[in-house]
């Protein structure tokens, strides 16, 4: 699957990127923790603090405010014709959330380095230490779009039309079954399907997305025939599931309020 730019496909294998020719358009974005970044990152990668991609407060997973988004755009030196290669070191949660953030500001020229830093290190990819900065000033004017997201009220409306959507809950089975409760109330949104984000990482292939993701997801009950809404606790883990659904060319949106909103409300329906 290609994005709006054909500089790189949506999912980029580390082995392929090793042979990629340099391009002035390419911006590499590191979403690892800062300590890991300083110890070693892809050459030229600009670090974005994962927490900067969230609004904080309650619920914490909402899209950042305009000023915070502008800071990210400025730090990257984002241009209209830029292409971003995005990675983290945890299997794609933060990277996928960042892709959702880019969708929300109308920027679609991006790729994910499959397996992130873990897979890059496994092929002895070149690393650089210290801090890298943007090579040019940002000139990307953006407006915020609600299209990639849903809120609590829209989910409640859609629940009134059974069979109209698939809700992909990326949390652990224990959270889904209310055996582990991280909000005032435990459980799941009625009709939601539990597809633990961890189950979509291939640990034998250094956290790359499992190659049978489509078949595995279909076995869970999500085949792409209906629009998908994905969430977790704070729309961090569901960053990966959002990315996977996009890679499968499925119609997907995120619920950034996630369980930290739904499970802390007294009047939401819970199964």
């Amino acid at each position: 699957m290609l994005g709006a730019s054909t500089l790189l496909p949506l999912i980029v294998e580390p082995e392929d990127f090793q042979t990629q020719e340099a391009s002035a358009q390419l911006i590499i974005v590191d979403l690892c923790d800062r300590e890991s970044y300083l110890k070693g990152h892809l050459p030229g990668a600009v670090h974005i603090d994962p927490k900067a991609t969230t609004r904080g407060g309650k619920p914490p997973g909402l899209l950042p405010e305009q000023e915070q988004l502008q800071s990210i755009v400025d730090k990257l030196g984002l241009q209209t014709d830029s292409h971003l290669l995005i990675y983290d070191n945890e299997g794609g949660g933060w990277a996928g959330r960042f892709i959702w953030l880019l969708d929300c500001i109308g920027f679609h020229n991006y790729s994910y380095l499959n397996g992130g830093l873990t897979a890059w290190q496994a092929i002895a990819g070149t690393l650089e230490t210290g801090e890298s900065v943007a090579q040019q000033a940002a000139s990307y004017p953006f407006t915020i779009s609600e299209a990639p997201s849903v809120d609590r009220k829209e989910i409640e409306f859609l629940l009134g039309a059974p069979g109209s959507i698939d809700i992909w809950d990326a949390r652990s089975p224990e959270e889904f079954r209310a055996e582990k409760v991280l909000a005032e109330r435990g459980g799941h949104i009625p009709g939601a399907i539990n597809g633990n984000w961890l189950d979509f990482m291939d640990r034998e292939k250094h956290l790359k997305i499992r190659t049978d993701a489509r078949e595995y997801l279909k076995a869970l009950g999500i085949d792409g025939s209906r629009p998908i809404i994905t969430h977790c606790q704070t729309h961090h883990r569901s960053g990966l599931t959002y990315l996977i659904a996009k890679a499968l060319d499925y119609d997907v949106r995120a619920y950034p309020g996630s369980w930290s909103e739904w499970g802390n409300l007294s009047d939401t329906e819970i199964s």
Side-chain angles (χ1 to χ4, degrees):
M1 173 183 174
L2 298 181
S5 167
T6 56
L7 184 64
L8 292 171
L10 176 56
I11 307 298
V12 175
E13 298 301 328
E15 299 85 351
D16 295 335
F17 187 67
Q18 272 192 319
T19 61
Q20 176 74 20
E21 292 184 10
S23 168
Q25 292 175 267
L26 186 66
I27 300 172
I28 303 175
V29 185
D30 180 297
L31 282 143
C32 303
D33 61 276
R34 183 159 183 78
E35 182 179 358
S36 296
Y37 171 77
L38 293 174
K39 285 182 178 178
H41 54 265
L42 270 68
V46 178
H47 183 250
I48 298 294
D49 182 350
K51 294 301 173 66
T53 71
T54 69
R55 184 178 299 185
K58 296 181 180 180
L62 299 182
L63 187 73
E65 300 283 4
Q66 180 98 14
E67 183 178 354
Q68 195 172 345
L69 291 169
Q70 186 65 58
S71 294
I72 292 172
V73 167
D74 290 344
K75 185 170 185 180
L76 293 177
L78 194 63
Q79 311 283 315
T80 302
D81 64 348
S82 297
H83 189 105
L84 305 187
L85 178 70
I86 304 157
Y87 72 89
D88 57 35
N89 60 350
E90 54 150 36
W94 286 121
R97 180 181 168 91
F98 194 74
I99 282 172
W100 165 77
L101 181 153
L102 292 172
D103 284 345
C104 290
I105 64 171
F107 189 89
H108 305 294
N109 300 342
Y110 50 66
S111 301
Y112 168 63
L113 184 69
N114 200 8
L117 186 64
T118 304
W120 183 253
Q121 291 172 318
I123 63 167
T126 302
L127 292 176
E128 188 174 82
T129 59
E131 185 90 31
S132 296
V133 297
Q135 298 302 303
Q136 51 193 343
S139 62
Y140 176 70
F142 69 88
T143 56
I144 297 173
S145 170
E146 301 293 336
S149 312
V150 297
D151 60 17
R152 168 256 181 114
K153 290 188 179 299
E154 184 171 359
I155 291 177
E156 289 179 323
F157 174 79
L158 292 169
L159 290 177
S164 61
I165 55 167
D166 284 326
I167 299 176
W168 182 355
D169 186 328
R171 297 176 301 156
S172 69
E174 293 77 16
E175 291 168 88
F176 186 81
R177 297 193 297 257
E179 295 165 5
K180 180 178 181 180
V181 180
L182 300 176
E184 289 295 322
R185 304 157 71 203
H188 57 269
I189 298 172
I193 296 170
N194 186 211
N196 187 354
W197 75 311
L198 295 175
D199 292 342
F200 289 84
M201 303 175 197
D202 191 333
R203 288 162 184 77
E204 294 184 358
K205 294 183 178 178
H206 313 290
L207 303 185
K208 289 185 178 182
I209 298 169
R210 58 187 300 162
T211 56
D212 65 342
R214 187 185 301 274
E215 292 76 19
Y216 188 82
L217 194 55
K218 184 176 181 179
L220 294 177
I222 299 176
D223 62 6
S225 60
R226 291 177 292 275
I228 297 166
I229 294 171
T230 190
H231 77 90
C232 57
Q233 180 72 20
T234 61
H235 189 37
H236 160 212
R237 291 173 283 180
S238 56
L240 175 62
T241 53
Y242 179 85
L243 168 61
I244 289 172
K246 287 184 71 72
L248 295 176
D249 204 23
Y250 291 167
D251 180 356
V252 63
R253 290 184 291 165
Y255 171 35
S258 282
W259 198 256
S260 60
E261 177 179 63
W262 195 276
N264 281 312
L265 295 172
S266 61
D267 59 345
T268 46
E269 190 176 350
I270 287 178
S271 294

